[in-house]
Coordinates of all heavy atoms in Angstrom, one line a residue:
L138 N 15.6 5.3 17.5 CA 16.6 4.4 17.8 C 18.0 5.0 18.1 O 18.4 5.1 19.2 CB 16.7 3.3 16.7 CG 15.5 2.4 16.6 CD1 15.7 1.3 15.5 CD2 15.1 1.7 17.9
D139 N 18.7 5.4 17.0 CA 20.1 5.8 17.1 C 20.1 7.1 18.0 O 19.4 8.1 17.6 CB 20.7 6.0 15.8 CG 20.8 4.7 15.0 OD1 21.8 4.0 15.3 OD2 20.0 4.5 14.1
G140 N 21.0 7.1 19.0 CA 21.1 8.3 19.8 C 20.0 8.5 20.8 O 20.0 9.4 21.6
T141 N 19.0 7.5 20.8 CA 17.9 7.6 21.7 C 17.7 6.3 22.5 O 18.1 6.2 23.6 CB 16.6 7.9 20.9 OG1 16.8 9.2 20.2 CG2 15.4 8.0 21.8
L142 N 17.1 5.3 21.9 CA 16.9 4.0 22.5 C 18.3 3.2 22.6 O 18.5 2.5 23.6 CB 15.9 3.1 21.8 CG 15.5 1.8 22.5 CD1 14.5 2.1 23.6 CD2 14.9 0.9 21.4
L143 N 19.0 3.3 21.5 CA 20.3 2.6 21.4 C 21.4 3.3 22.1 O 21.5 4.6 22.0 CB 20.7 2.3 19.9 CG 19.7 1.6 19.0 CD1 20.3 1.4 17.6 CD2 19.2 0.3 19.6
R144 N 22.3 2.6 22.7 CA 23.5 3.2 23.2 C 24.4 3.5 22.0 O 24.2 3.1 20.9 CB 24.2 2.3 24.2 CG 23.4 2.2 25.5 CD 24.1 1.4 26.6 NE 23.5 1.5 27.9 CZ 24.0 0.9 29.0 NH1 25.0 0.1 28.9 NH2 23.3 1.1 30.1
D145 N 25.5 4.2 22.3 CA 26.4 4.6 21.2 C 27.0 3.4 20.5 O 27.4 3.5 19.3 CB 27.5 5.6 21.6 CG 27.0 6.9 21.9 OD1 25.8 7.2 21.6 OD2 27.7 7.7 22.6
D146 N 27.1 2.3 21.2 CA 27.7 1.1 20.5 C 26.6 0.3 19.8 O 26.8 -0.8 19.3 CB 28.4 0.2 21.6 CG 27.4 -0.4 22.6 OD1 26.2 -0.1 22.5 OD2 27.9 -1.1 23.5
K147 N 25.4 0.9 19.6 CA 24.3 0.3 18.9 C 23.6 -0.9 19.6 O 22.8 -1.6 19.0 CB 24.7 -0.1 17.5 CG 25.3 1.1 16.7 CD 24.4 2.3 16.7 CE 25.1 3.4 15.9 NZ 24.3 4.7 16.0
S148 N 23.9 -1.0 20.9 CA 23.2 -2.1 21.7 C 22.0 -1.6 22.4 O 21.8 -0.4 22.6 CB 24.2 -2.6 22.7 OG 24.5 -1.7 23.7
V149 N 21.1 -2.5 22.7 CA 20.0 -2.2 23.6 C 20.3 -2.8 24.9 O 20.5 -4.0 25.1 CB 18.7 -2.8 23.0 CG1 17.5 -2.4 23.8 CG2 18.5 -2.5 21.6
S150 N 20.4 -1.9 25.9 CA 20.8 -2.4 27.3 C 19.8 -3.3 27.9 O 18.6 -3.2 27.6 CB 21.0 -1.2 28.2 OG 19.8 -0.6 28.6
P151 N 20.2 -4.2 28.8 CA 19.3 -5.0 29.5 C 18.2 -4.2 30.2 O 17.0 -4.7 30.3 CB 20.2 -5.8 30.5 CG 21.5 -5.8 29.8 CD 21.6 -4.5 29.1
R152 N 18.5 -3.1 30.8 CA 17.5 -2.3 31.5 C 16.5 -1.8 30.5 O 15.3 -1.8 30.8 CB 18.2 -1.1 32.1 CG 17.2 -0.2 32.9 CD 18.0 1.0 33.5 NE 17.1 1.8 34.3 CZ 17.4 2.9 34.9 NH1 18.7 3.4 34.9 NH2 16.6 3.6 35.6
T153 N 16.9 -1.4 29.3 CA 15.9 -0.9 28.3 C 15.1 -2.1 27.8 O 13.8 -1.9 27.6 CB 16.7 -0.2 27.1 OG1 17.4 0.9 27.6 CG2 15.7 0.2 26.0
V154 N 15.7 -3.2 27.5 CA 14.9 -4.4 27.1 C 13.8 -4.7 28.1 O 12.6 -4.9 27.8 CB 15.8 -5.6 27.0 CG1 15.0 -6.9 26.7 CG2 16.7 -5.4 25.8
A155 N 14.1 -4.6 29.4 CA 13.2 -4.9 30.5 C 12.1 -3.9 30.5 O 10.9 -4.2 30.7 CB 13.9 -5.0 31.8
A156 N 12.4 -2.6 30.3 CA 11.4 -1.5 30.4 C 10.5 -1.6 29.2 O 9.2 -1.4 29.4 CB 12.1 -0.2 30.3
L157 N 10.9 -2.0 28.0 CA 10.1 -2.2 26.8 C 9.1 -3.3 27.1 O 7.9 -3.2 26.8 CB 10.9 -2.4 25.6 CG 11.8 -1.2 25.1 CD1 12.6 -1.7 23.9 CD2 11.0 0.0 24.8
A158 N 9.6 -4.4 27.6 CA 8.8 -5.6 27.9 C 7.7 -5.2 28.9 O 6.5 -5.7 28.8 CB 9.6 -6.8 28.3
A159 N 8.1 -4.5 29.9 CA 7.1 -4.1 31.0 C 6.0 -3.2 30.4 O 4.9 -3.3 30.8 CB 7.9 -3.4 32.1
A160 N 6.4 -2.3 29.5 CA 5.4 -1.4 28.9 C 4.4 -2.2 28.1 O 3.2 -2.0 28.2 CB 6.1 -0.4 28.0
E161 N 4.9 -3.2 27.3 CA 4.0 -4.0 26.5 C 3.1 -4.9 27.4 O 1.9 -5.0 27.2 CB 4.8 -4.9 25.6 CG 5.5 -4.2 24.5 CD 4.6 -3.9 23.3 OE1 3.4 -4.3 23.3 OE2 5.1 -3.4 22.3
E162 N 3.7 -5.4 28.5 CA 2.9 -6.2 29.5 C 1.8 -5.3 30.1 O 0.7 -5.9 30.4 CB 3.8 -6.8 30.5 CG 3.1 -7.8 31.4 CD 4.0 -8.4 32.4 OE1 5.3 -8.3 32.2 OE2 3.6 -9.1 33.3

Side-chain angles (χ1 to χ4, degrees):
L138 294 182
D139 297 281
T141 300
L142 188 79
L143 305 181
R144 291 184 169 182
D145 287 348
D146 64 2
K147 306 306 178 186
S148 68
V149 186
S150 74
R152 181 180 183 182
T153 297
V154 171
L157 295 176
E161 291 277 2
E162 187 174 347

